[in-house]
Amino acid sequence: MASAAGDPLLPGEGSGGRRLGFLPSTIRLKTSVWSELGGAVGDLGTYIPIVLALSLASHLDLGTTLIFTALYNFSTGLLFGIPMPVQPMKSIAAVALSSAHLTVPQIMSAGLAVAAILLFLGATGLMTFIYRLLPLPVVRGVQLSQGLSFAFTAVKYIRYVQDFSRSSSASTAAARPLLGLDGLVLALAALLFIILATGSGDDEDVAATDGTVRRRRSCSRVPAALIVFALGLLLCFVRDPSILRGLRFGPAPLRIVKITWEDFKIGFWEGAVPQLPLSVLNSVIAVCKLSSDLFPERAELSPARVSVSVGLMNFVGCWFGAMPCCHGAGGLAGQYRFGGRSGASVVFLAVGKLALGLVFGNSFVTILGQFPIGILGVMLLFSGIELAMASRDMGTKEESFVMLICAGVSLTGSSAALGFISGIVLFLLLRLRDVDYRGIVGGWGAGRRQTGNKVGGDGDEDA
């Protein structure tokens, strides 16, 4: 592929490649700095609402979460070499913000329980066995349901006023005002800008003046997501200049979370049990499959490594009160959609999170509380659509049928596990229809007759 004029830092080309030659290959730039920076903020449409809601409603320490997720981002960027996301465990967050309202020790207990199970599945190789065994249409159904779920939530963010002190997706009955610094017009303007800047988010064939065809990366020309996110941060201070007075400089002090046996029991049954199917399906299996779709030139991600990665992350951070985290196919899709192509993308994000966590600590929640939610909705919308589009490769009507049933049950039942089970049962039923029962019965009957004839022949010889 020809080098684009707007991508001066392609590895191995010109002085840019020589300047970056000392870096590990996993975090060397695959496109431009601006493209990777745009991809770095691609999953914040999911990350910010959840951690903001938990900080406001459950008293989660945002500074500690920022610092540990920064370390996770840096490690996964070096380890995997792709924009591997680090996102809060959504089911645990949903339970914590529901009527059950888990305490911080109970949230950490749930994260530790999920981490232990995923670490066991990865270390023993069982996760790889599960990954190889699952039929592709069922995996695509999980991806489609998660992508559409993100898209539906994003539309709520754009259309309705949110109250994150109660939930990460608490849409009120009030429609978002048309004008204002968090109005519908602002959100729609951001939406149109991203579409004009990045198109469908894929590489495009462009006819040159000499009649030849060249390829360009539309999403690497303008860091649309970075520009929109920077605008949102600027508007935080414009909307409420008094937030400057609430800032406190310095990192939050690290403290070991004290977890009782009662905390662990509640965290396990209320948080870990509903989270585990989502972590296995979306955080490991769907991530591995999506990475092979988005980066076909790379070796396939090992499900065991991804599973162990999630386990180790939480075994470190949860003891200090950092939000339980995992990888997610939606976050990977979002970072890819906005230009992330290497581990450098999440390393840039790690630097930003670490700086904010060390400089502002938990007081940064006052800034995030003023972030325009409509803009977050726009970013989340593109992440969801990118993830859902991974399911477009179903080649037969039967595969599409299984995928759509799996996705439909997941969405209507609000449970990826229920959709997954439905998809597996449906897939097995369709396989049973293809079995040649007449051939099996006929072969069994012929075998019995042959055995009988042999026995009869032996009897004649004995006579």
Side-chain angles (χ1 to χ4, degrees):
M1 182 175 66
S3 174
D7 292 340
L9 296 179
L10 289 173
E13 295 185 12
S15 60
R18 289 192 293 271
R19 286 198 301 269
L20 298 175
F22 66 93
L23 294 175
S25 60
T26 52
I27 60 172
R28 290 180 190 169
L29 299 174
K30 299 298 188 293
T31 54
S32 67
V33 171
W34 291 115
S35 177
E36 299 290 357
L37 284 172
V41 299
D43 73 331
L44 295 185
T46 303
Y47 180 88
I48 290 178
I50 295 177
V51 297
L52 177 59
L54 287 170
S55 299
L56 293 174
S58 299
H59 307 292
L60 181 80
D61 193 299
L62 178 61
T64 300
T65 295
L66 285 173
I67 291 173
F68 276 96
T69 54
L71 298 177
Y72 303 160
N73 280 131
F74 187 80
S75 301
T76 54
L78 285 174
L79 178 63
F80 296 108
I82 63 173
M84 178 69 82
V86 174
Q87 297 181 320
M89 291 188 179
K90 300 175 185 64
S91 289
I92 293 177
V95 173
L97 295 168
S98 67
S99 57
H101 198 73
L102 301 180
T103 64
V104 169
Q106 291 164 0
I107 294 172
M108 300 307 132
S109 298
L112 288 169
V114 174
I117 295 172
L118 290 182
L119 190 59
F120 172 78
L121 292 176
T124 58
L126 288 174
M127 186 64 77
T128 301
F129 174 75
I130 295 172
Y131 178 76
R132 303 298 181 198
L133 192 64
L134 290 182
L136 179 61
V138 177
V139 178
R140 292 299 192 218
V142 173
Q143 291 176 310
L144 179 59
S145 66
Q146 288 296 305
L148 292 178
S149 178
F150 286 163
F152 296 158
T153 301
V155 172
K156 291 179 183 178
Y157 286 178
I158 295 171
R159 293 188 58 194
Y160 300 104
V161 176
Q162 307 296 310
D163 182 6
F164 285 153
S165 64
R166 294 189 295 114
S167 171
S168 61
S169 57
S171 297
T172 66
R176 186 167 300 283
L178 188 62
L179 302 176
L181 298 180
D182 190 14
L184 187 60
V185 170
L186 175 67
L188 294 179
L191 177 69
L192 294 176
F193 169 70
I194 291 176
I195 293 175
L196 288 174
T198 67
S200 62
D202 204 355
D203 292 347
E204 299 174 348
D205 288 331
V206 182
T209 54
D210 58 358
T212 61
V213 175
R214 60 184 177 87
R215 289 183 73 77
R216 71 180 181 189
R217 292 185 186 273
S218 60
C219 57
S220 67
R221 297 290 181 175
V222 178
L226 183 63
I227 293 173
V228 168
F229 182 72
L231 173 64
L233 281 180
L234 177 63
L235 291 177
C236 291
F237 300 96
V238 177
R239 294 180 69 193
D240 185 8
S242 66
I243 61 177
L244 289 172
R245 294 195 296 269
L247 294 178
R248 299 291 182 270
F249 296 101
L254 291 181
R255 297 186 180 92
I256 300 292
V257 177
K258 296 180 179 179
I259 301 175
T260 66
W261 177 245
E262 188 65 22
D263 289 331
F264 182 80
K265 287 193 298 183
I266 295 175
F268 178 81
W269 292 111
E270 298 288 342
V273 170
Q275 175 64 46
L276 188 60
L278 186 62
S279 291
V280 172
L281 296 173
N282 188 54
S283 303
V284 180
I285 292 173
V287 163
C288 292
K289 184 56 188 173
L290 182 63
S291 69
S292 64
D293 297 333
L294 299 179
F295 303 97
E297 73 282 358
R298 294 181 54 88
E300 186 179 60
L301 281 184
S302 165
R305 291 179 70 194
V306 176
S307 186
V308 169
S309 170
V310 176
L312 291 178
M313 286 192 311
N314 291 286
F315 259 116
V316 174
C318 285
W319 290 111
F320 297 95
M323 174 64 200
C325 290
C326 58
H327 306 307
L332 176 58
Q335 289 171 325
Y336 182 90
R337 175 64 174 76
F338 290 116
R341 295 295 184 272
S342 71
S345 183
V346 288
V347 168
F348 288 146
L349 180 60
V351 172
K353 286 181 179 179
L354 190 61
L356 293 174
L358 292 176
V359 174
F360 297 113
N362 198 45
S363 67
F364 190 66
V365 73
T366 61
I367 297 178
L368 288 186
Q370 294 299 322
F371 198 96
I373 305 304
I375 287 180
L376 288 179
V378 170
M379 298 175 67
L380 181 59
L381 176 63
F382 284 99
S383 300
I385 295 301
E386 184 71 28
L387 177 57
M389 284 197 297
S391 62
R392 67 187 185 274
D393 63 347
M394 293 292 91
T396 66
K397 186 174 181 179
E398 180 179 291
E399 290 178 337
S400 299
F401 179 65
V402 174
M403 176 191 70
L404 292 173
I405 292 294
C406 178
V409 174
S410 297
L411 288 171
T412 55
S414 300
S415 170
L418 184 60
F420 168 76
I421 294 172
S422 301
I424 290 292
V425 171
L426 181 60
F427 180 83
L428 294 176
L429 288 174
L430 293 175
R431 293 282 73 79
L432 287 175
R433 293 182 73 249
D434 296 334
V435 175
D436 184 8
Y437 295 104
R438 292 184 178 180
I440 294 175
V441 173
W444 179 70
R448 290 198 61 182
R449 287 194 297 271
Q450 184 177 0
T451 302
N453 292 337
K454 183 178 180 180
V455 172
D458 292 343
D460 293 339
E461 292 173 3
D462 292 342

